Amino acid sequence: MQICRDKGAMRDWRSPGGRVALVPTMGALHDGHLSLVAHARRWLDTQGGGRVVTSIFVNPTQFGPNEDLATYPRDEENDIALLEQAGCDAVFLPTVADIYRPGAQTVVEVTDLSRMLMGRLRPGHFRGVATVVTKLFNIVRPDAAAFGEKDYQQLAVIRQMVADLDMPVEILPVPTVREADGLAMSSRNRRLSPGERAAAPVLNRALDQAQRMVAEGAGLSATRAALRRIIGAEPLADIRSIDIRDAATLSRIAMIQAPVVILLAVRFGDVLLIDQRVAHPKGAPDVR
Ligand code: AMP
């Protein structure tokens, strides 16, 4: 596996041509990230082959001033070993100085989608994401890029950006990979105390129940109340937001008639966890 530590090395690796699929990450890799690598590989196989590159970059511009940039987990040696085992062809590990030149003035902002939901809790977050993903696309020039459905709004922002700006990159959505007890894998899970870790699967249990209720015809307020009741019964869970939105557009809905996405943001101690589930009311067509 080729290790590229700056833009120049990355461009050199890219230059022979052929198809390339990119997996953008912030490192501290787990099986969720490796599932993105596997999806990228499968997509390349359907296209006659190519190379997979994973980027590892803890992007400062997507963290707010009081967020966990300084304490975000970093584990480069282990990440490289995991990617090697997963059959990734290259890893891009740029420094902050290499990605952000002093004096840069340009940002990419997907306006409406970035201001709602997590964008309200984390102002500027999706502008940081859209800007760095654009830069990664310009450096790597991938034919496809894989993103997890776990970060549902991020996936929606990237899809909107690619469509709006005619970026020639196919976006590959990847289902959420979970621990055996249902907790969505996340680099942040390792910062949970043992008690918080034991409490956190309540998110998946609440989503399971809400998904069943929607399938059986429950309305918005009953579904929201059930989510609040189940998560609220867990003393270590501090609910930051519970949203039920149109699964395709993320817009607000007055009633559940088409597939919805249930989006949770819940703190355990000082760790903010997110999780999501698409739920289909009886008889509704699929979102995709
Ligand atoms: P991160 O390193 O947290 O920025 O995540 C990098 C990519 O991996 C994003 O596209 C995430 O949505 C995706 N991802 C993170 N956790 C999971 C998971 N448990 N299952 C699938 N994809 C994930």
Side-chain angles (χ1 to χ4, degrees):
M1 184 175 68
Q2 184 73 37
I3 298 177
C4 305
R5 293 206 174 264
D6 57 37
K7 291 190 278 201
M10 187 69 245
R11 290 198 166 112
D12 287 347
W13 177 85
R14 181 67 180 94
S15 63
R19 269 192 201 81
V20 163
L22 170 67
V23 177
T25 80
M26 298 205 299
L29 301 182
H30 49 66
D31 284 350
H33 298 112
L34 300 182
S35 170
L36 268 59
V37 173
H39 268 73
R41 172 71 65 203
R42 276 203 288 283
W43 180 83
L44 286 168
D45 288 346
T46 67
Q47 308 292 310
R51 296 176 294 159
V52 180
V53 53
T54 300
S55 60
I56 297 178
F57 181 62
V58 182
N59 174 36
T61 65
Q62 70 189 68
F63 288 79
N66 300 316
E67 293 182 3
D68 57 350
L69 174 62
T71 56
Y72 195 84
R74 288 166 169 85
D75 199 351
E76 184 183 301
E77 207 177 309
N78 192 49
D79 288 349
I80 291 173
L82 289 173
L83 290 174
E84 189 104 54
Q85 282 162 26
C88 192
D89 297 291
V91 56
F92 181 36
L93 287 156
T95 60
V96 172
D98 189 39
I99 293 293
Y100 291 108
R101 294 181 317 130
Q105 301 186 20
T106 310
V107 294
V108 179
E109 184 159 13
V110 177
T111 52
D112 294 3
L113 269 175
S114 297
R115 290 187 190 138
M116 57 171 75
L117 299 164
M118 282 299 284
R120 270 178 189 272
L121 289 181
R122 306 183 69 186
H125 170 69
F126 289 113
R127 184 176 52 219
V129 170
T131 303
V132 81
V133 170
T134 300
K135 288 168 71 70
L136 290 170
F137 284 0
N138 286 335
I139 296 163
V140 177
R141 288 182 293 110
D143 299 281
F147 292 87
E149 289 173 355
K150 171 172 170 284
D151 298 280
Y152 197 88
Q153 188 177 1
Q154 169 172 284
L155 176 59
V157 165
I158 299 295
R159 281 179 152 151
Q160 184 79 37
M161 174 183 87
V162 163
D164 289 352
L165 299 182
D166 301 302
M167 293 181 172
V169 182
E170 177 149 346
I171 302 304
L172 312 174
V174 180
T176 302
V177 177
R178 296 176 183 278
E179 304 285 357
D181 62 8
L183 176 63
M185 289 189 184
S186 164
S187 308
R188 290 191 166 99
N189 292 350
R190 53 176 92 178
R191 290 185 29 226
L192 297 168
S193 70
E196 290 157 2
R197 172 64 190 80
V202 71
L203 302 187
N204 185 54
R205 285 202 307 278
L207 289 168
D208 279 347
Q209 170 68 12
Q211 189 180 32
R212 273 195 299 272
M213 288 177 67
V214 170
E216 288 161 9
L220 262 186
S221 50
T223 307
R224 207 179 278 122
L227 288 160
R228 281 205 177 275
R229 179 166 33 74
I230 297 167
I231 302 169
E234 173 47 66
L236 294 179
D238 170 14
I239 298 175
R240 307 318 295 245
S241 62
I242 294 179
D243 292 281
I244 303 177
R245 297 283 179 109
D246 181 275
T249 62
L250 291 185
S251 49
R252 286 179 196 280
I253 49 172
M255 54 205 293
I256 301 180
Q257 287 169 316
V260 291
V261 60
I262 303 161
L263 300 158
L264 305 179
V266 178
R267 280 178 78 111
F268 292 83
D270 62 359
V271 182
L272 180 67
L273 296 184
I274 61 169
D275 204 349
Q276 60 78 27
R277 184 70 45 83
V278 173
H280 298 257
K282 239 185 256 159
D286 207 339
V287 254
R288 282 197 220 108

